[in-house]
Amino acid sequence: MAPPSARQRILDTAFRLFYARGLRAVGVDTIIAESGVAKATFYKHFPAKDDLVLAYLARVDGIWSGQLHDAATAAGPEPRAQLVGLFDALGTACRRDGYRGCAFINAAAEAVPGTPVHEATVAHKHAVLQWVRDLAAEAGSGDPDGLARSLTLLLDGGLAAGALDADPAAATRAREAAEVVVAAALN
Amino acid sequence: MAPPSARQRILDTAFRLFYARGLRAVGVDTIIAESGVAKATFYKHFPAKDDLVLAYLARVDGIWSGQLHDAATAAGPEPRAQLVGLFDALGTACRRDGYRGCAFINAAAEAVPGTPVHEATVAHKHAVLQWVRDLAAEAGSGDPDGLARSLTLLLDGGLAAGALDADPAAATRAREAAEVVVAAALN
DNA sequence: GAGTAGGTAGACAGACCTGTCTGTTCGTTC
DNA sequence: GAACGAACAGACAGGTCTGTCTACCTACTC
């Protein structure tokens, strides 16, 4: 197996450190040192730190979206079940070691509104909302937007709570509340 | 009216800047310059930056807890109505200019777990949870802890969503979802 | 064997960070 | 009027931050 390229090592290190410590708390020098890369190489792949931050967020987006989809489809073929099942991704995330909440919420807390980094977090949340909305429409909701917003509210609440206190009970509770909300909206 | 004391000016400036830009993004020098205070005075009142951060969080805690209580009592004397009414504080906050989500969630995103700053955010969330739990118990819930967790999940979700996109619709939706959850728990 | 792409190593600039220190000025109280 | 507390003004130290730059090295390709 070929050793990971310099770019890959940088991205891997950034993924680990940015999530664990925060965007501002991790300097370029630290990432360079820990990924065992030369400074010139770093700046060749990522002309500015923010470019690396954006690449980091893009990777997180891919991973998290994948986990949401997987959790949803694992709940079965019915959209209604999937709307509740996606919350299993939250439980899995909560139990993961080093869990520190939602990378996007954390990034938004450090980013200035209007900057590309902040825009990326907003775009991610909109994409998730859109996906849940489609699921809600498939499930036959009369108000798919309202139902989707209620569910993403619960999801974000669970993610935010995890940043303060990674309690798996919060994830379970979120799933139960989602069940109640879905039942009220579809029955 | 006497002009505000140096300590008060520092705290006022910190309140404004920390919330608007984040804890790490605002340096001591900036706060000193904007509050029109001497550096020695600053360090006399707050021996380290973290002391100021803690004072800032304590002030936010006081204000936000007050707004939650006010919104709850405005909904009437019945605990059941108060459980839903407290979400009006979220709507009011969302509509405020410069709203950037929950100061505690944002602070937690920048703080290292285990530090006093992080502990303060956890303590705040626990206090809110405890208060809602008491309200749920008064309302006659058979599982006051579960109901309180569901509701704070919605509340945190609304606050977190506001950090990305201060949409008052999210607050309205949170209130409606709370209504559904409370109804399911108490009927 | 020359050229090129991609990497390593590390000095350097310039800004900004927290925190310390010296000295001055003002108002109050004794 | 002397003493004192509280604040002002700002230089300074020591560290960290991002980003640039020079110089060398290695593997592959033509």
Side-chain angles (χ1 to χ4, degrees), chain A residues 93-109:
Chain A
C94 272
R95 271 183 285 273
R96 201 165 289 134
D97 204 44
Y99 176 66
R100 227 174 66 88
C102 174
F104 288 94
I105 293 174
N106 293 349

PDB file of all heavy atoms in Angstrom, chain A residues 93-109:
ATOM      1  N   ALA A  93     -22.789   8.689  16.815  1.00  0.00           N
ATOM      2  CA  ALA A  93     -21.803   9.767  16.918  1.00  0.00           C
ATOM      3  C   ALA A  93     -21.505  10.099  18.375  1.00  0.00           C
ATOM      4  O   ALA A  93     -20.349  10.279  18.771  1.00  0.00           O
ATOM      5  CB  ALA A  93     -22.311  11.008  16.176  1.00  0.00           C
ATOM      6  N   CYS A  94     -22.554  10.157  19.188  1.00  0.00           N
ATOM      7  CA  CYS A  94     -22.404  10.495  20.616  1.00  0.00           C
ATOM      8  C   CYS A  94     -21.491   9.514  21.327  1.00  0.00           C
ATOM      9  O   CYS A  94     -20.748   9.893  22.229  1.00  0.00           O
ATOM     10  CB  CYS A  94     -23.760  10.462  21.315  1.00  0.00           C
ATOM     11  SG  CYS A  94     -24.644  12.012  21.237  1.00  0.00           S
ATOM     12  N   ARG A  95     -21.589   8.264  20.939  1.00  0.00           N
ATOM     13  CA  ARG A  95     -20.821   7.234  21.634  1.00  0.00           C
ATOM     14  C   ARG A  95     -19.383   7.151  21.155  1.00  0.00           C
ATOM     15  O   ARG A  95     -18.556   6.487  21.794  1.00  0.00           O
ATOM     16  CB  ARG A  95     -21.510   5.878  21.460  1.00  0.00           C
ATOM     17  CG  ARG A  95     -22.542   5.600  22.549  1.00  0.00           C
ATOM     18  CD  ARG A  95     -23.138   4.217  22.375  1.00  0.00           C
ATOM     19  NE  ARG A  95     -24.075   4.202  21.265  1.00  0.00           N
ATOM     20  CZ  ARG A  95     -25.363   4.525  21.375  1.00  0.00           C
ATOM     21  NH1 ARG A  95     -25.836   4.900  22.544  1.00  0.00           N
ATOM     22  NH2 ARG A  95     -26.170   4.491  20.331  1.00  0.00           N
ATOM     23  N   ARG A  96     -19.100   7.829  20.055  1.00  0.00           N
ATOM     24  CA  ARG A  96     -17.747   7.778  19.523  1.00  0.00           C
ATOM     25  C   ARG A  96     -16.800   8.511  20.463  1.00  0.00           C
ATOM     26  O   ARG A  96     -17.143   9.528  21.065  1.00  0.00           O
ATOM     27  CB  ARG A  96     -17.721   8.408  18.129  1.00  0.00           C
ATOM     28  CG  ARG A  96     -16.548   7.971  17.288  1.00  0.00           C
ATOM     29  CD  ARG A  96     -16.796   8.326  15.839  1.00  0.00           C
ATOM     30  NE  ARG A  96     -17.842   7.486  15.235  1.00  0.00           N
ATOM     31  CZ  ARG A  96     -18.838   7.942  14.482  1.00  0.00           C
ATOM     32  NH1 ARG A  96     -18.937   9.226  14.247  1.00  0.00           N
ATOM     33  NH2 ARG A  96     -19.721   7.117  13.984  1.00  0.00           N
ATOM     34  N   ASP A  97     -15.590   7.976  20.581  1.00  0.00           N
ATOM     35  CA  ASP A  97     -14.616   8.578  21.492  1.00  0.00           C
ATOM     36  C   ASP A  97     -14.143   9.934  20.953  1.00  0.00           C
ATOM     37  O   ASP A  97     -13.873  10.071  19.763  1.00  0.00           O
ATOM     38  CB  ASP A  97     -13.408   7.646  21.657  1.00  0.00           C
ATOM     39  CG  ASP A  97     -12.697   7.898  22.964  1.00  0.00           C
ATOM     40  OD1 ASP A  97     -13.383   8.053  23.997  1.00  0.00           O
ATOM     41  OD2 ASP A  97     -11.453   7.969  22.950  1.00  0.00           O
ATOM     42  N   GLY A  98     -14.041  10.888  21.842  1.00  0.00           N
ATOM     43  CA  GLY A  98     -13.593  12.204  21.417  1.00  0.00           C
ATOM     44  C   GLY A  98     -14.698  13.020  20.775  1.00  0.00           C
ATOM     45  O   GLY A  98     -14.433  14.039  20.140  1.00  0.00           O
ATOM     46  N   TYR A  99     -15.929  12.560  20.929  1.00  0.00           N
ATOM     47  CA  TYR A  99     -17.056  13.281  20.349  1.00  0.00           C
ATOM     48  C   TYR A  99     -17.168  14.676  20.962  1.00  0.00           C
ATOM     49  O   TYR A  99     -17.095  14.842  22.178  1.00  0.00           O
ATOM     50  CB  TYR A  99     -18.352  12.502  20.579  1.00  0.00           C
ATOM     51  CG  TYR A  99     -19.583  13.209  20.097  1.00  0.00           C
ATOM     52  CD1 TYR A  99     -19.781  13.431  18.742  1.00  0.00           C
ATOM     53  CD2 TYR A  99     -20.553  13.656  20.980  1.00  0.00           C
ATOM     54  CE1 TYR A  99     -20.919  14.074  18.285  1.00  0.00           C
ATOM     55  CE2 TYR A  99     -21.687  14.295  20.541  1.00  0.00           C
ATOM     56  CZ  TYR A  99     -21.862  14.508  19.194  1.00  0.00           C
ATOM     57  OH  TYR A  99     -22.988  15.158  18.756  1.00  0.00           O
ATOM     58  N   ARG A 100     -17.312  15.643  20.102  1.00  0.00           N
ATOM     59  CA  ARG A 100     -17.340  17.025  20.599  1.00  0.00           C
ATOM     60  C   ARG A 100     -18.398  17.837  19.858  1.00  0.00           C
ATOM     61  O   ARG A 100     -18.214  19.018  19.573  1.00  0.00           O
ATOM     62  CB  ARG A 100     -15.958  17.662  20.406  1.00  0.00           C
ATOM     63  CG  ARG A 100     -15.430  18.391  21.627  1.00  0.00           C
ATOM     64  CD  ARG A 100     -14.019  18.865  21.402  1.00  0.00           C
ATOM     65  NE  ARG A 100     -13.932  19.889  20.373  1.00  0.00           N
ATOM     66  CZ  ARG A 100     -14.064  21.193  20.588  1.00  0.00           C
ATOM     67  NH1 ARG A 100     -14.270  21.628  21.817  1.00  0.00           N
ATOM     68  NH2 ARG A 100     -13.985  22.063  19.611  1.00  0.00           N
ATOM     69  N   GLY A 101     -19.522  17.185  19.579  1.00  0.00           N
ATOM     70  CA  GLY A 101     -20.625  17.894  18.939  1.00  0.00           C
ATOM     71  C   GLY A 101     -20.469  18.012  17.437  1.00  0.00           C
ATOM     72  O   GLY A 101     -19.680  17.307  16.819  1.00  0.00           O
ATOM     73  N   CYS A 102     -21.247  18.905  16.870  1.00  0.00           N
ATOM     74  CA  CYS A 102     -21.307  19.073  15.419  1.00  0.00           C
ATOM     75  C   CYS A 102     -20.182  19.986  14.958  1.00  0.00           C
ATOM     76  O   CYS A 102     -20.045  21.116  15.417  1.00  0.00           O
ATOM     77  CB  CYS A 102     -22.651  19.671  15.038  1.00  0.00           C
ATOM     78  SG  CYS A 102     -22.789  20.079  13.290  1.00  0.00           S
ATOM     79  N   ALA A 103     -19.387  19.484  14.020  1.00  0.00           N
ATOM     80  CA  ALA A 103     -18.262  20.269  13.513  1.00  0.00           C
ATOM     81  C   ALA A 103     -18.733  21.569  12.873  1.00  0.00           C
ATOM     82  O   ALA A 103     -18.031  22.581  12.924  1.00  0.00           O
ATOM     83  CB  ALA A 103     -17.490  19.443  12.492  1.00  0.00           C
ATOM     84  N   PHE A 104     -19.919  21.546  12.309  1.00  0.00           N
ATOM     85  CA  PHE A 104     -20.413  22.743  11.621  1.00  0.00           C
ATOM     86  C   PHE A 104     -20.881  23.801  12.612  1.00  0.00           C
ATOM     87  O   PHE A 104     -20.605  24.989  12.446  1.00  0.00           O
ATOM     88  CB  PHE A 104     -21.516  22.362  10.641  1.00  0.00           C
ATOM     89  CG  PHE A 104     -20.985  21.639   9.449  1.00  0.00           C
ATOM     90  CD1 PHE A 104     -20.946  20.258   9.422  1.00  0.00           C
ATOM     91  CD2 PHE A 104     -20.476  22.340   8.373  1.00  0.00           C
ATOM     92  CE1 PHE A 104     -20.433  19.583   8.327  1.00  0.00           C
ATOM     93  CE2 PHE A 104     -19.960  21.679   7.273  1.00  0.00           C
ATOM     94  CZ  PHE A 104     -19.933  20.297   7.254  1.00  0.00           C
ATOM     95  N   ILE A 105     -21.591  23.368  13.638  1.00  0.00           N
ATOM     96  CA  ILE A 105     -22.012  24.320  14.668  1.00  0.00           C
ATOM     97  C   ILE A 105     -20.776  24.916  15.333  1.00  0.00           C
ATOM     98  O   ILE A 105     -20.693  26.123  15.573  1.00  0.00           O
ATOM     99  CB  ILE A 105     -22.912  23.613  15.711  1.00  0.00           C
ATOM    100  CG1 ILE A 105     -24.232  23.206  15.060  1.00  0.00           C
ATOM    101  CG2 ILE A 105     -23.161  24.515  16.907  1.00  0.00           C
ATOM    102  CD1 ILE A 105     -25.136  22.379  15.960  1.00  0.00           C
ATOM    103  N   ASN A 106     -19.797  24.073  15.611  1.00  0.00           N
ATOM    104  CA  ASN A 106     -18.565  24.567  16.231  1.00  0.00           C
ATOM    105  C   ASN A 106     -17.834  25.532  15.314  1.00  0.00           C
ATOM    106  O   ASN A 106     -17.324  26.561  15.770  1.00  0.00           O
ATOM    107  CB  ASN A 106     -17.647  23.392  16.572  1.00  0.00           C
ATOM    108  CG  ASN A 106     -18.234  22.505  17.667  1.00  0.00           C
ATOM    109  OD1 ASN A 106     -19.220  22.871  18.306  1.00  0.00           O
ATOM    110  ND2 ASN A 106     -17.635  21.349  17.876  1.00  0.00           N
ATOM    111  N   ALA A 107     -17.771  25.203  14.034  1.00  0.00           N
ATOM    112  CA  ALA A 107     -17.090  26.084  13.087  1.00  0.00           C
ATOM    113  C   ALA A 107     -17.818  27.421  12.975  1.00  0.00           C
ATOM    114  O   ALA A 107     -17.192  28.484  12.929  1.00  0.00           O
ATOM    115  CB  ALA A 107     -17.003  25.411  11.717  1.00  0.00           C
ATOM    116  N   ALA A 108     -19.146  27.354  12.945  1.00  0.00           N
ATOM    117  CA  ALA A 108     -19.921  28.588  12.817  1.00  0.00           C
ATOM    118  C   ALA A 108     -19.683  29.500  14.016  1.00  0.00           C
ATOM    119  O   ALA A 108     -19.692  30.726  13.882  1.00  0.00           O
ATOM    120  CB  ALA A 108     -21.409  28.269  12.688  1.00  0.00           C
ATOM    121  N   ALA A 109     -19.458  28.903  15.179  1.00  0.00           N
ATOM    122  CA  ALA A 109     -19.226  29.708  16.382  1.00  0.00           C
ATOM    123  C   ALA A 109     -17.931  30.494  16.278  1.00  0.00           C
ATOM    124  O   ALA A 109     -17.773  31.531  16.915  1.00  0.00           O
ATOM    125  CB  ALA A 109     -19.193  28.810  17.613  1.00  0.00           C
TER     126      ALA A 109
END
